[in-house]
Amino acid sequence: MNEMLSSRQIMILVLLFMVGTTILVVPSSLANEAKQNAWILQIVGTSIGLLFLALYILIFKRNKGLNLFQMNERLFGRWLGKGISLLIAFAIMIICAQVLFYIGTFITTQIMPDTPTEAIHVLFIITAMLGANFGIANLARTAEIFFPWIILLFVMFILLIMPEVKPEMLLPIGELEGMSLIRGTLQVVNYSYLPLFITFAAFNSTLVWKPGIGKAFVIGGLLSGIFLMILVLVSTMVLGPANSETQIYPTYVLARKINVGNFLQRIEVIVAFLWFIFVYFKLTLYFYAMMTGFGEVFQLPNQGKILCFPLGMITSVLSLVVYPNFVYKTKWDTTTWTSEAILLGLLYPLLMLCMTTYKNKKASVIT
């Protein structure tokens, strides 16, 4: 029972995971689609994302006591289920490598340009390996410890940047084209909501489905949407739509503009520290899901913890080649990732829901 998670822990993990890598880049991508109305895209994306969470909760509840990879074997048969699980485990490995790439690129371009990217990747993957090896319950308790500090730093950041806010930057309101609305909403859903299924389903067996658990998923998803909407609003009102669109890391640039009495300046480390916490938990949850997947496929004890070190090293090396260059990364994120996210976060869960309904009805008829 020590591995069981509380509703509060689930809420915090959902929030940290969904904000994740989007905290620095989402204002730029949404501003590119809707200029000063980027915050509207975040609201629409959050509303649709909550519907996806409802779908995931339904699947989790109907497969109590099973993680994602055990669900595959139950619903699709042993060999087909193992094949699907293996593909998902490899897909999560690639996603882990991409997250590591984001970390290394940010640090080497903004903070420590003389530091080798390989060293940064190795350091981060080691911390993720340790977190995953200690188990999901310990990771959740760690998230509880960090959560108050995250809220404090975020509120502090928003309050300090308020003197630079220019509300007129949000005008005119409501100028949105149909395709921009669709593309922007897809970006919000793709990065924040759709990856949640394959990650959190990996430890569904540790959830005791009391009434508050489903509510915790929804609250976590809603808070993450509010968190990101505030960032998009502030970015637009301080930098302006044009600058928000052209900056790679607009939230980090925001922090550089903090100037209180010509004394409190250059505290962008606040944003960097926040981002490191968010990305750490996102990377570790991905890594835990990958490790569990390979462990289930090859029937290894302790959820595949014996594979922790080799998987970490493979992921670290893969992160150096997963994106050959920045142009390739941009094209992948806007085209291939959209298709992959929809496959893993919409079509696959819908298929699982259909198979779960069929299996449960079949079992009820037999009994």
Side-chain angles (χ1 to χ4, degrees):
M1 292 297 292
N2 291 333
E3 284 290 311
M4 299 302 177
L5 305 183
S6 68
S7 55
R8 172 182 165 83
Q9 291 171 337
I10 288 294
M11 183 271 290
I12 294 173
L13 286 177
V14 169
L15 171 63
L16 295 177
F17 178 84
M18 294 177 69
V19 174
T21 51
T22 61
I23 186 174
L24 284 176
V25 297
V26 70
S28 175
S29 59
L30 295 186
N32 185 48
E33 293 293 344
K35 305 298 187 280
Q36 72 277 4
N37 293 302
W39 59 278
I40 297 177
L41 299 182
Q42 182 63 50
I43 293 176
V44 176
T46 300
S47 303
I48 295 175
L50 293 177
L51 298 177
F52 286 103
L53 286 183
L55 170 65
Y56 303 159
I57 292 168
L58 185 61
I59 297 172
F60 295 163
K61 280 185 176 180
R62 292 188 178 182
N63 292 275
K64 295 177 183 177
L66 300 175
N67 63 40
L68 175 65
F69 310 101
Q70 292 167 341
M71 292 181 207
N72 286 332
E73 291 194 38
R74 172 181 177 262
L75 299 177
F76 302 107
R78 182 180 180 186
W79 295 111
L80 179 59
K82 282 187 178 294
I84 295 173
S85 294
L86 192 60
L87 288 175
I88 292 174
F90 276 116
I92 297 175
M93 178 185 285
I94 294 173
I95 295 172
C96 281
Q98 291 168 334
V99 173
L100 269 183
F101 176 89
Y102 292 138
I103 296 169
T105 302
F106 172 72
I107 293 179
T108 54
T109 58
Q110 302 294 324
I111 301 175
M112 298 185 291
D114 296 328
T115 304
T117 305
E118 296 85 348
I120 295 169
H121 289 193
V122 169
L123 286 175
F124 264 89
I125 199 63
I126 287 174
T127 59
M129 288 160 54
L130 289 173
N133 198 51
F134 285 139
I136 195 66
N138 287 320
L139 186 67
R141 295 186 193 106
T142 306
E144 280 189 293
I145 295 172
F146 276 106
F147 186 65
W149 296 102
I150 291 171
I151 298 300
L152 178 64
L153 287 175
F154 180 72
V155 172
M156 177 181 165
F157 166 64
I158 296 299
L159 291 178
L160 290 177
I161 200 65
M162 287 306 290
E164 303 292 329
V165 165
K166 300 172 186 174
E168 62 272 15
M169 290 290 187
L170 296 177
L171 301 175
I173 295 175
E175 290 187 350
L176 273 174
E177 296 180 1
M179 288 306 299
S180 294
L181 178 62
I182 294 173
R183 287 194 300 266
T185 302
L186 266 177
Q187 288 181 20
V188 174
V189 175
N190 286 348
Y191 286 105
S192 295
Y193 292 89
L194 296 183
L196 184 138
F197 178 73
I198 57 173
T199 310
F200 280 71
F203 56 86
N204 184 53
S205 56
T206 67
L207 302 181
V208 178
W209 278 96
K210 300 175 182 178
I213 296 294
K215 186 178 179 181
F217 274 96
V218 175
I219 293 175
L222 182 60
L223 287 178
S224 70
I226 294 172
F227 196 101
L228 292 171
M229 188 195 69
I230 292 172
L231 285 178
V232 172
L233 274 170
V234 172
S235 176
T236 304
M237 289 190 289
V238 174
L239 300 178
N243 282 334
S244 294
E245 179 183 353
T246 55
Q247 295 290 340
I248 299 176
Y249 306 110
T251 311
Y252 190 73
V253 176
L254 270 180
R256 288 181 175 175
K257 289 186 170 291
I258 292 176
N259 184 355
V260 180
N262 290 324
F263 173 72
L264 191 62
Q265 301 177 8
R266 299 307 299 263
I267 57 172
E268 58 269 18
V269 69
I270 291 177
V271 173
F273 181 69
L274 273 174
W275 192 68
F276 291 155
I277 295 174
F278 283 121
V279 173
Y280 167 74
F281 282 100
K282 187 163 190 171
L283 177 62
T284 306
L285 286 169
Y286 273 137
F287 193 89
Y288 180 86
M290 173 183 63
M291 188 175 69
T292 303
F294 283 112
E296 288 290 343
V297 169
F298 298 111
Q299 298 181 336
L300 300 174
N302 295 323
Q303 296 172 319
K305 288 184 179 180
I306 193 173
L307 295 177
C308 185
F309 181 77
L311 288 177
M313 293 301 99
I314 292 171
T315 303
S316 180
V317 174
L318 183 60
S319 66
L320 301 174
V321 296
V322 66
Y323 289 130
N325 52 60
F326 196 80
V327 176
Y328 182 93
K329 170 196 166 296
T330 304
K331 187 174 181 180
W332 171 279
D333 289 349
T334 54
T335 55
T336 307
W337 171 245
T338 300
S339 303
E340 183 180 351
I342 291 173
L343 175 63
L344 294 176
L346 176 59
L347 301 180
Y348 174 53
L350 285 175
L351 177 61
M352 291 194 76
L353 180 62
C354 293
M355 291 300 297
T356 300
T357 304
Y358 169 74
K359 289 282 185 180
N360 290 346
K361 284 184 177 180
K362 186 178 179 181
S364 64
V365 169
I366 293 173
T367 55

